[in-house]
Amino acid sequence: MPRSLDRTPAVSVATHGLDPLACRTCAIRHRGLCEVLTPVEIDALNRIAQRRKLRPGEVFLVEGEDAVSFANITSGVAKLVRSMEDGREQIVGLLFPADFMGRVFQKGDVTAPMPYTVQAASELSLCAFPSGPFEAILSEHPKLEHKLLERTLSELDAARDWMLLLGRKTAPERVATFLHHIAARYAEAGGDPTQGFDLPLTRADMADFIGLTIETVSRQITKLRKDGVIVLAGSRRIDSVDMERLAARAGLR
């Protein structure tokens, strides 16, 4: 059942303009949108960029407000939250390093409203760009526009996978799929999930996201621990995971 989520007003640190050296050493340099750009093209992107840092709970973009910024996550995890008319809220997605947030390709002078709120689930760092200037750069650099399309299609595929999880998977499969997804994204960022990783959501948020109760989520995590599929070190820390067995529990094998 969707529930109301606390929202902390954003008091994030913002730095205008990016150091070219910082871009070359960025952890997502070869996975983010800018991976297809030359150093000269990156310098052009730097001129409109803003580095942002948010603490857990801070909001970057608000549902219903104008989508005036576009951003690429460099570290941390963000959650996408949709509101209902009665005030309840539902987590509808998670974004990880190299994922993007916001909207571009406005209709003339009309700025499209955000369809969801983007909120930091952990310490979050990102490179933000004003939507208008970023759209102008897209029109000048087809490779960047093509990369954005690729990432958009990947996000669409992920949304369809999540529809399968919510519509057909059992409670054990849902919890295992969620954990496998987090571990796989951690691996994409260069980590080794078999050596442990932190969960970006509380168990209450996890329950909201995968359509279960907190009690069911806790029972399924406990079962995975007892069966030796995962090793826990606190409510939000997994010390190690057997990825093959977890994939099997998730119905991915």
Side-chain angles (χ1 to χ4, degrees), residues 28 31-33 72-75 96-100 151 185:
I28 66 162
R31 297 188 296 117
L33 290 176
N72 212 189
I73 296 178
T74 56
S75 68
F96 297 84
D99 288 342
F100 59 83
R151 299 307 296 262
R185 292 305 304 262

Side-chain angles (χ1 to χ4, degrees), residues 39 55 172 179 181 245:
R55 295 193 296 267
L179 296 178
H181 177 64
R245 293 179 65 193

Side-chain angles (χ1 to χ4, degrees), residues 69-138:
S69 295
F70 183 88
N72 212 189
I73 296 178
T74 56
S75 68
V77 180
K79 54 188 177 183
L80 310 181
V81 183
R82 287 290 301 270
S83 300
M84 298 176 67
E85 290 185 1
D86 60 6
R88 289 175 296 167
E89 295 178 310
Q90 173 73 43
I91 299 172
V92 296
L94 295 176
L95 299 177
F96 297 84
D99 288 342
F100 59 83
M101 58 182 75
R103 303 184 77 85
V104 288
F105 307 120
Q106 313 294 351
K107 295 181 179 179
D109 295 329
V110 178
T111 302
M114 282 296 297
Y116 45 73
T117 290
V118 180
Q119 186 178 39
S122 66
E123 295 287 338
L124 187 67
S125 297
L126 48 86
C127 290
F129 314 95
S131 294
F134 182 74
E135 186 173 337
I137 286 181
L138 283 177

Side-chain angles (χ1 to χ4, degrees), residues 1-252:
M1 178 69 69
R3 61 188 180 82
S4 180
L5 301 173
D6 292 332
R7 291 183 181 176
T8 302
V11 290
S12 56
V13 175
T15 302
H16 292 273
L18 302 182
D19 180 357
L21 178 61
C23 285
R24 289 194 291 271
T25 60
C26 175
I28 66 162
R29 172 65 180 89
H30 299 292
R31 297 188 296 117
L33 290 176
C34 59
E35 71 168 336
V36 297
L37 299 180
T38 67
V40 172
E41 292 168 336
I42 288 178
D43 287 344
L45 194 62
N46 281 343
R47 286 193 283 271
I48 67 167
Q50 182 186 61
R51 180 174 291 121
R52 298 285 301 273
K53 291 183 180 296
L54 288 83
R55 295 193 296 267
E58 289 184 344
V59 170
F60 176 63
L61 296 169
V62 179
E63 180 181 356
E65 294 187 1
D66 290 346
V68 296
S69 295
F70 183 88
N72 212 189
I73 296 178
T74 56
S75 68
V77 180
K79 54 188 177 183
L80 310 181
V81 183
R82 287 290 301 270
S83 300
M84 298 176 67
E85 290 185 1
D86 60 6
R88 289 175 296 167
E89 295 178 310
Q90 173 73 43
I91 299 172
V92 296
L94 295 176
L95 299 177
F96 297 84
D99 288 342
F100 59 83
M101 58 182 75
R103 303 184 77 85
V104 288
F105 307 120
Q106 313 294 351
K107 295 181 179 179
D109 295 329
V110 178
T111 302
M114 282 296 297
Y116 45 73
T117 290
V118 180
Q119 186 178 39
S122 66
E123 295 287 338
L124 187 67
S125 297
L126 48 86
C127 290
F129 314 95
S131 294
F134 182 74
E135 186 173 337
I137 286 181
L138 283 177
S139 66
E140 297 170 1
H141 300 284
K143 291 184 296 184
L144 184 61
E145 190 173 38
H146 182 77
K147 184 66 176 179
L148 179 61
L149 175 60
E150 287 182 347
R151 299 307 296 262
T152 301
L153 293 175
S154 295
E155 187 174 301
L156 178 60
D157 288 340
R160 288 168 173 163
D161 287 342
W162 216 250
M163 288 174 63
L164 172 64
L165 177 144
L166 294 175
R168 294 298 179 188
K169 289 197 172 185
T170 64
E173 288 173 330
R174 292 187 192 190
V175 173
T177 298
F178 173 81
L179 296 178
H180 189 276
H181 177 64
I182 300 301
R185 292 305 304 262
Y186 181 72
E188 287 179 11
D192 182 357
T194 64
Q195 299 302 311
F197 56 92
D198 293 319
L199 295 174
L201 299 181
T202 64
R203 293 197 182 184
D205 281 351
M206 192 189 311
D208 280 347
F209 188 36
I210 60 179
L212 299 172
T213 65
I214 299 174
E215 294 77 14
T216 299
V217 168
S218 294
R219 283 197 300 271
Q220 295 305 322
I221 289 177
T222 298
K223 180 171 176 53
L224 290 170
R225 176 184 61 79
K226 289 182 176 179
D227 292 346
V229 180
I230 60 175
V231 176
L232 297 177
S235 61
R236 296 182 62 170
R237 176 68 186 177
I238 293 180
D239 253 0
S240 65
V241 58
D242 185 325
M243 291 295 286
E244 289 190 5
R245 293 179 65 193
L246 187 61
R249 296 290 182 97
L252 302 174

